[in-house]
Amino acid sequence: MASSTLISDPVTNIMERARDSSKRRKKKKIQRQSSDGGRDQTTQNSSNNNNQIIPWKSEVQQQVYSSKLLQALRNVRISPGTSPPSVPRRGRAVREAADRVLAVTAKGRTRWSRAILTNKLTLKFMKSKRRQRGTAVTATGNSRLKKPRVSILKLKTKNLPAVQRKTRVLGRLVPGCRKQPLPVVLEEATDYIAALEMQVKAMAALADLLSGGSSSSSGSGTGTGAMILNQLSLRQPPSS
Amino acid sequence: MSTRRSRTRQSTTSRISDDQINDLVSKLQQLLPEIRNRRSDKVSASKVLQETCNYIRSLHREVDDLSERLSELLENTDSTQASIIRSLLSQ
């Protein structure tokens, strides 16, 4: 129908732009593309929101994430010439790669995923300009979606300082949600929790597979394992 | 005085109502394992937020532990591939 094509077009555009922009300068272009996508989506109806929700619990998403994670982890391993001796540094690198892959799997539709991707690049390239860019990011972020801010003080039942305090804490935990009003933080937290659960499941399955232990659920284990084997056979391993 | 002005401005332009927030809170409540098991309909927003923070922190910790484990396992390329193939053959 016409309405569905209207809805699907900006979605596919965002996806393609996100993929292309991830190859070029990620930072500026992701903001621009997602800002265009954000404006399009807010002008359209809430029926668009249903398309935005990623089913994190589906097996497909987990496989998508697992394959991307494996690719990213291979890059993490290969790039450092001398592997950092300390375990925390390696673990940290793996954690950041996993978060980055999670954000990419989210396709940039949620605030936390965009925040993860932009933060990575901010830290990587421009440490000196970080403050300038940081304020620019928040400025564009606030004006981007044009949602009116409802501060917590104005809500009737949520007037308690305890709720405000906990919202601040929660905003700090979810990436990209500091200084966001309560409903935004709640929405982001909902999606973020589902994504984190999927991340934990995928990483646990991968760790089990690598350690050669018996996989807990044979169904998902064989699915993930077969897919990983495909990945390995397609890529040529570096000569030892 | 300025708060009154901003209040009227926001009440006319704000689209986010209390009901919407309650909806979001209840949706979040469904995701949290602890509150889901207790099956109490009325949980205060503060409690939900607290449980959410705790749950996210525990998930972060799990991811950290898993990534440390993965980093140790991924050290050697050859052994990684061998172990993967071994585990696949054993299934």
Side-chain angles (χ1 to χ4, degrees), chain A residues 28-98:
Chain A
K28 284 186 183 174
K29 294 210 174 174
I30 279 187
Q31 287 180 26
R32 273 185 225 153
Q33 313 308 341
S34 55
S35 70
D36 294 340
R39 262 180 246 144
D40 290 341
Q41 287 173 6
T42 47
T43 51
Q44 290 183 9
N45 277 337
S46 61
S47 59
N48 217 2
N49 287 333
N50 293 330
N51 293 335
Q52 285 187 26
I53 295 175
I54 295 176
W56 288 108
K57 288 191 176 172
S58 70
E59 188 65 28
V60 175
Q61 281 296 327
Q62 188 168 336
Q63 290 190 5
V64 166
Y65 178 71
S66 301
S67 60
K68 287 188 183 167
L69 179 63
L70 197 64
Q71 292 179 22
L73 288 178
R74 291 170 69 92
N75 292 336
V76 166
R77 227 175 343 120
I78 292 170
S79 51
T82 58
S83 61
S86 61
V87 176
R89 228 183 296 168
R90 275 204 308 268
R92 185 82 200 153
V94 172
R95 165 82 198 269
E96 286 175 3

Side-chain angles (χ1 to χ4, degrees), chain A residues 140-211:
Chain A
T140 53
N142 289 336
S143 61
R144 195 189 301 162
L145 294 176
K146 291 179 191 174
K147 267 188 185 174
R149 289 227 202 136
V150 180
S151 77
I152 298 163
L153 290 170
K154 305 294 186 289
L155 304 171
K156 298 173 197 172
T157 55
K158 314 291 188 282
N159 214 355
L160 307 169
V163 172
Q164 293 173 29
R165 215 180 339 134
K166 293 189 175 137
T167 308
R168 294 276 176 255
V169 172
L170 190 57
R172 278 205 305 269
L173 279 177
V174 179
C177 288
R178 300 187 191 195
K179 300 180 186 175
Q180 296 289 337
L182 179 62
V184 173
V185 172
L186 290 178
E187 228 181 288
E188 292 289 317
T190 312
D191 193 63
Y192 189 53
I193 286 182
L196 278 181
E197 286 175 353
M198 195 275 293
Q199 185 181 23
V200 165
K201 250 197 285 178
M203 287 175 74
L206 188 60
D208 277 343
L209 196 65
L210 286 178
S211 60

Side-chain angles (χ1 to χ4, degrees), chain A residues 77 90-91 94-95 149 155 158 166 169 173 183 186 190 192-193 197 200 208-210 222 229 237, chain B residues 10 18 21-22 24 31 46 50 55 60 62-64 67 69 74-75 77 80-81 83-84 87 91:
Chain A
R77 227 175 343 120
R90 275 204 308 268
V94 172
R95 165 82 198 269
R149 289 227 202 136
L155 304 171
K158 314 291 188 282
K166 293 189 175 137
V169 172
L173 279 177
L186 290 178
T190 312
Y192 189 53
I193 286 182
E197 286 175 353
V200 165
D208 277 343
L209 196 65
L210 286 178
T222 45
L229 187 58
Chain B
Q10 290 203 3
D18 274 352
I21 291 186
N22 286 332
L24 287 171
L31 288 177
S46 152
Q50 182 68 47
Y55 191 48
H60 278 170
E62 270 194 65
V63 171
D64 278 334
S67 53
R69 208 173 132 199
L74 284 172
E75 270 183 58
T77 316
T80 303
Q81 292 181 349
S83 65
I84 290 180
S87 57
Q91 282 177 3

